[in-house]
């Protein structure tokens, strides 16, 4: 495997794990980046830009190779970026986390939702993981249609808000700032930090994003369970389950390679980033980044990773831990250490930060497996990172 990029001395185990991801764990195109104390120490990429890249008769790739600036959809890793928008508005005194959502969004109070607080939205405790009337792909591209659907929805039960999280966060940003969430993230987060990430991919950057798709994980994925437990599999297969309904809030799910989908701002699912952009974003949450701004104050950082909810998740059917918008280190989402916080993307991508070690991590891939919160490829890289420290 021809791996491009650099690693600082001592971080060679990350490179070894990255190579093994291609040789053993089925990666086709991917990148990983790590920052330590605001300085990039790992910057690796390999494979093809498109997941369906094949080899010609001479063994050369017949699709474009992955380059340093190649970006990919990161699915739910987008949620960590979206959470930062609300936390920054709170940090600036424009949003009260303990205020009812209806204080900023009066129509939200319909159907008995008067007591849902802003912090409930961030910690997946708003009780709105499903839509009784799912949106079509065309409807989902209109952020106002998504917000209106959530507005009409009556609360059901607590659990991971796989898709509705985006409309909740996006509408709060719009109500408070008057700007769309994608524009706000571009101007207030990605721009100041110097991070290559977008929620709503601009036409000028469209050529950087590769084709993504499903890949099959090897049967023995490095000793980690690559197939879900029976209870989890049954929940995803049951059309009436909270799990299936949460992930079916858009039905059928849009083509993730459709330019219209990529250009829309869906802050739960369709963020597009480079590995460096994702790692750089998390580095900016915990400290000063070389050439970029620090986003979170010490107080905001503490709030982001303070446990807000924990235990059995009615949607994911596993035990989860959430702070304000971020998954916390645990069995469902292993990061680097106890104080780490971040967010995986279903099928592979991962971004997180660990303030105690000064580490920020980003991994993106064009090949999505069936994993939800702990992809074997991302976890192999985390183990390599742990061995480097």
């Amino acid at each position: 495997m021809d791996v491009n990029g650099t690693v600082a001395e001592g971080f060679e185990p990350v490179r070894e794990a990255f190579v093994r991801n291609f040789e053993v764990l089925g990666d086709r195109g991917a990148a990983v980046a790590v920052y330590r104390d605001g300085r990039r120490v790992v910057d690796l990429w390999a494979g093809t830009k498109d997941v369906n890249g094949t080899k010609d008769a001479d063994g050369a790739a017949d699709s474009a190779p992955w380059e340093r600036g190649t970006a990919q959809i990161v699915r739910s890793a987008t949620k960590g970026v979206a959470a930062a928008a609300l936390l920054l508005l709170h940090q600036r005194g424009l949003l009260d986390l303990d205020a009812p959502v209806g204080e900023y969004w009066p129509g939200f109070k319909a159907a008995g939702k008067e007591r849902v607080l802003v912090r409930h939205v961030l910690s997946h405790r708003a009780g709105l993981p499903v839509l009784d009337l799912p949106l079509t792909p065309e409807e989902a591209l209109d952020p106002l249609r998504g917000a209106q659907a959530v507005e009409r929805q009556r609360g059901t039960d607590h659990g991971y808000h796989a898709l509705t999280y985006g409309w909740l966060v996006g509408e709060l940003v719009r109500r408070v700032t008057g700007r769309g969430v994608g524009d706000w993230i571009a101007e207030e987060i990605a721009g100041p930090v110097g991070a290559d990430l977008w929620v709503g991919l601009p036409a000028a950057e469209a050529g950087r994003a590769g084709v993504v798709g499903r890949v099959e994980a090897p049967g023995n994925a490095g000793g980690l369970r690559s197939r879900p437990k029976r209870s989890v599999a049954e929940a995803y297969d049951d059309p009436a389950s909270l799990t299936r309904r949460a992930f079916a809030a858009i039905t059928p799910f849009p083509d993730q390679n459709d330019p219209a989908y990529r250009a829309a701002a869906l802050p739960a699912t369709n963020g597009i980033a480079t590995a460096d952009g994702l790692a750089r974003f998390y580095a900016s949450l915990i400290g000063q980044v070389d050439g970029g701004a620090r986003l979170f104050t010490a107080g905001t950082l503490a709030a982001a990773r303070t446990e807000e909810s924990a235990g059995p998740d009615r949607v994911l059917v596993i035990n989860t831990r959430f702070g304000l918008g971020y998954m916390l280190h645990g069995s469902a989402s292993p990061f680097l250490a106890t104080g780490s916080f971040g967010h995986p993307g279903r099928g592979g991508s991962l971004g997180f930060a660990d303030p105690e070690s000064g580490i920020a991590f980003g991994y993106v891939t064009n090949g999505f497996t069936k994993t939800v919160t702990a992809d074997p490829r991302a976890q192999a890289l985390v183990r390599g990172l742990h061995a480097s420290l």
Side-chain angles (χ1 to χ4, degrees):
M1 170 53 58
D2 185 14
V3 173
N4 301 286
T6 60
V7 295
E9 184 178 355
F11 287 85
E12 293 86 358
V14 179
R15 188 184 191 282
E16 293 167 7
F18 188 63
V19 170
R20 188 173 183 274
N21 279 356
F22 285 86
E23 294 178 343
V24 179
L25 299 184
D27 243 337
R28 299 183 183 178
V32 60
V34 178
Y35 281 70
R36 187 171 198 182
D37 297 329
R39 183 177 65 89
R40 189 170 57 232
V41 293
V42 174
D43 186 22
L44 298 172
W45 64 94
T48 57
K49 181 179 178 181
D50 298 342
V51 69
N52 53 6
T54 57
K55 302 289 185 180
D56 63 20
D58 297 323
D62 65 3
S63 70
W66 191 297
E67 299 176 335
R68 186 175 186 280
T70 296
Q72 302 288 0
I73 283 184
V74 296
R75 289 183 159 183
S76 284
T78 313
K79 291 181 172 73
V81 180
L86 292 191
L87 289 173
L88 286 171
L89 291 175
H90 170 68
Q91 182 174 290
R92 297 174 187 181
L94 300 174
L95 183 70
D96 183 354
L97 298 178
D98 291 308
V101 172
E103 183 174 312
Y104 304 98
W105 176 2
F108 181 84
K109 292 183 284 187
K113 300 191 294 293
E114 298 91 343
R115 296 184 180 180
V116 176
L117 308 181
V118 174
R119 72 170 55 248
H120 294 154
V121 169
L122 283 166
S123 56
H124 295 264
R125 297 184 63 84
L128 295 163
V130 305
L131 294 180
D132 290 336
L133 294 175
L135 300 182
T136 67
E138 294 75 20
E139 292 170 337
L141 299 187
D142 180 351
L144 297 182
R145 291 293 291 269
Q148 290 164 359
V150 172
E151 190 175 279
R152 294 190 298 266
Q153 182 67 35
R154 183 175 297 277
T156 52
D157 208 341
H158 295 310
Y160 182 63
H161 289 45
L163 301 179
T164 56
Y165 180 92
W167 298 312
L168 289 163
V169 170
E171 186 65 7
L172 276 168
V173 170
R174 190 180 74 84
R175 295 278 175 161
V176 172
T177 70
R179 287 185 275 171
V181 64
D183 291 339
W184 200 93
I185 287 171
E187 295 163 9
E188 304 292 341
I189 295 178
V193 170
D196 285 340
L197 60 84
W198 304 269
V199 181
L201 186 66
E205 305 290 351
R208 297 176 62 178
V211 174
V212 298
R214 175 68 65 84
V215 296
E216 290 297 324
N220 181 12
L224 292 173
R225 186 177 63 237
S226 59
R227 295 182 179 179
K229 294 188 299 184
R230 181 181 297 275
S231 59
V232 177
E234 290 174 349
Y236 280 95
D237 289 340
D238 181 2
S241 73
L242 205 62
T243 305
R244 181 76 170 268
R245 294 172 63 207
F247 284 96
I250 305 173
T251 299
F253 198 79
D255 175 2
Q256 296 169 96
N257 296 308
D258 182 352
Y261 175 76
R262 296 179 171 205
L266 294 166
T269 58
N270 83 332
I272 292 179
T274 64
D276 181 74
L278 198 56
R280 190 173 178 87
F281 161 73
Y282 274 100
S284 76
L285 302 186
I286 63 174
Q288 188 72 38
V289 183
D290 184 23
R294 174 173 181 164
L295 292 182
F296 283 178
T297 64
T300 303
L301 175 58
R305 62 186 187 130
T306 297
E307 185 177 282
E308 290 279 327
S309 60
D313 189 303
R314 289 290 308 281
V315 172
L316 296 180
V317 201
I318 53 177
N319 290 330
T320 56
R321 297 178 64 227
F322 279 98
L324 289 174
Y326 299 94
M327 283 190 172
L328 306 181
H329 175 75
S331 59
S333 53
F335 301 139
L336 189 63
T338 302
S340 304
F341 69 103
H343 215 292
R346 187 180 185 186
S349 57
L350 176 64
F352 70 82
D354 183 64
E356 282 67 34
S357 63
I359 289 291
F361 173 95
Y363 164 72
V364 302
T365 177
N366 58 26
F368 298 143
T369 66
K370 293 182 180 180
T371 57
V372 178
T373 62
D375 186 86
R377 296 162 297 174
Q379 290 305 305
L381 293 168
V382 173
R383 292 197 303 274
L385 178 56
H386 197 277
S388 302
L389 300 177

